[in-house]
Amino acid sequence: DTAVSQTPKYLVTQMGNDKSIKCEQNLGHDTMYWYKQDSKKFLKIMFSYNNKELIINETVPNRFSPKSPDKAHLNLHINSLELGDSAVYFCASSQGGTTAGNTIYFGEGSWLTVV
Amino acid sequence: AQSVSQHNHHVILSEAASLELGCNYSYGGTVNLFWYVQYPGQHLQLLLKYFSGDPLVKGIKGFEAEFIKSKFSFNLRKPSVQWSDTAEYFCAVTRNSGNTPLVFGKGTRLSVIA
């Protein structure tokens, strides 16, 4: 009964392809996130959704498009993949956003390799 | 925008040695502070957090951190490390207002040798 689950865990694909990573949380949280961890382990926020509404959209290429069909799901679609997109993508969730010390729970990560 | 600095990139310790990992943030307002740990090949797990009250926070696995507001610091400590503490440690901060993102430091890799 994983709290935040993402699929696939590993993905190897060629440049130019389009791919999606799915995320689901069973914690009943109202806020979900996508973080990118690069090869140097640096973690950076990409998107945040609260009750299916986009609230944080950091400087991310338009090729990345999040989709939140409901509060429990936040999928990430990437068009025209580039070598620099290779990274680990972490989905996360919290209740009530990041104020008042709310804890963010992370999924196990999706290792994307673009060749 | 707030930022987080972790000055130690890689720390190597022998088992039973004491640990202190530095974390400084740059934001003058009220903040929430976190330490996450990432074991090899795994996701991030919360070690401890501070958002109000006692500035000395105790977390899981014997870790603690002290929030020193005047120094903008939130250093992580453990009196005696074990081999199983080998992992990447991330300090993170968010402002205590609005839906501001959790900003991570670049992480400190801890290697504990027997």
Side-chain angles (χ1 to χ4, degrees):
Chain A
D1 51 338
T2 307
V4 182
S5 57
Q6 342 178 184
T7 55
K9 185 165 183 175
Y10 299 101
L11 181 56
V12 181
T13 187
Q14 291 186 323
M15 279 196 302
N17 284 350
D18 302 337
K19 290 294 176 187
S20 292
I21 306 172
K22 296 186 176 180
C23 178
E24 175 181 5
Q25 53 95 3
N26 63 6
L27 297 167
H29 289 163
D30 61 3
T31 306
M32 295 186 72
Y33 312 82
W34 277 108
Y35 278 83
K36 179 181 179 180
Q37 186 176 44
D38 62 23
S39 58
K40 295 184 180 178
K41 298 283 188 177
F42 184 51
L43 270 160
K44 190 169 165 54
I45 182 78
M46 299 174 69
F47 302 103
S48 173
Y49 270 74
N50 178 264
N51 285 316
K52 301 193 321 178
E53 184 181 337
L54 181 65
I55 54 171
I56 294 174
N57 184 356
E58 293 295 301
T59 307
V60 176
N62 290 338
R63 300 181 293 103
F64 290 79
S65 53
K67 291 281 193 304
S68 182
D70 55 58
K71 278 195 328 180
H73 295 84
L74 181 61
N75 303 324
L76 182 65
H77 188 75
I78 315 170
N79 289 326
S80 304
L81 279 155
E82 300 177 358
L83 292 176
D85 297 332
S86 295
V88 184
Y89 293 86
F90 286 98
C91 179
S93 74
S94 69
Q95 180 58 31
T98 54
T99 59
N102 294 324
T103 299
I104 294 182
Y105 294 85
F106 286 84
E108 295 190 343
S110 294
W111 271 253
L112 172 64
T113 302
V114 182
V115 297
Chain B
Q2 66 263 35
S3 65
V4 181
S5 297
Q6 293 182 242
H7 306 295
N8 310 105
H9 178 63
H10 188 191
V11 172
I12 303 173
L13 293 173
S14 299
E15 278 194 311
S18 64
L19 169 72
E20 180 159 2
L21 302 182
C23 174
N24 289 89
Y25 65 93
S26 63
Y27 179 67
T30 304
V31 294
N32 302 312
L33 298 154
F34 305 79
W35 275 98
Y36 279 86
V37 60
Q38 186 177 27
Y39 297 104
Q42 295 190 28
H43 64 291
L44 287 94
Q45 301 170 45
L46 181 70
L47 270 180
L48 47 81
K49 65 178 181 181
Y50 169 85
F51 63 98
S52 68
D54 189 344
L56 183 61
V57 180
K58 299 222 183 275
I60 60 171
K61 305 187 180 186
F63 286 91
E64 66 177 32
E66 186 175 11
F67 170 49
I68 303 179
K69 191 174 180 179
S70 60
K71 294 184 178 180
F72 297 89
S73 70
F74 190 56
N75 292 355
L76 181 71
R77 299 194 291 252
K78 185 171 183 177
S80 176
V81 295
Q82 300 170 312
W83 178 82
S84 58
D85 293 324
T86 296
E88 196 89 19
Y89 291 81
F90 294 92
C91 182
V93 64
T94 184
R95 285 184 292 172
N96 194 24
S97 61
N99 280 308
T100 53
L102 189 61
V103 177
F104 283 87
K106 292 193 174 182
T108 296
R109 182 152 62 104
L110 172 66
S111 299
V112 180
I113 54 178

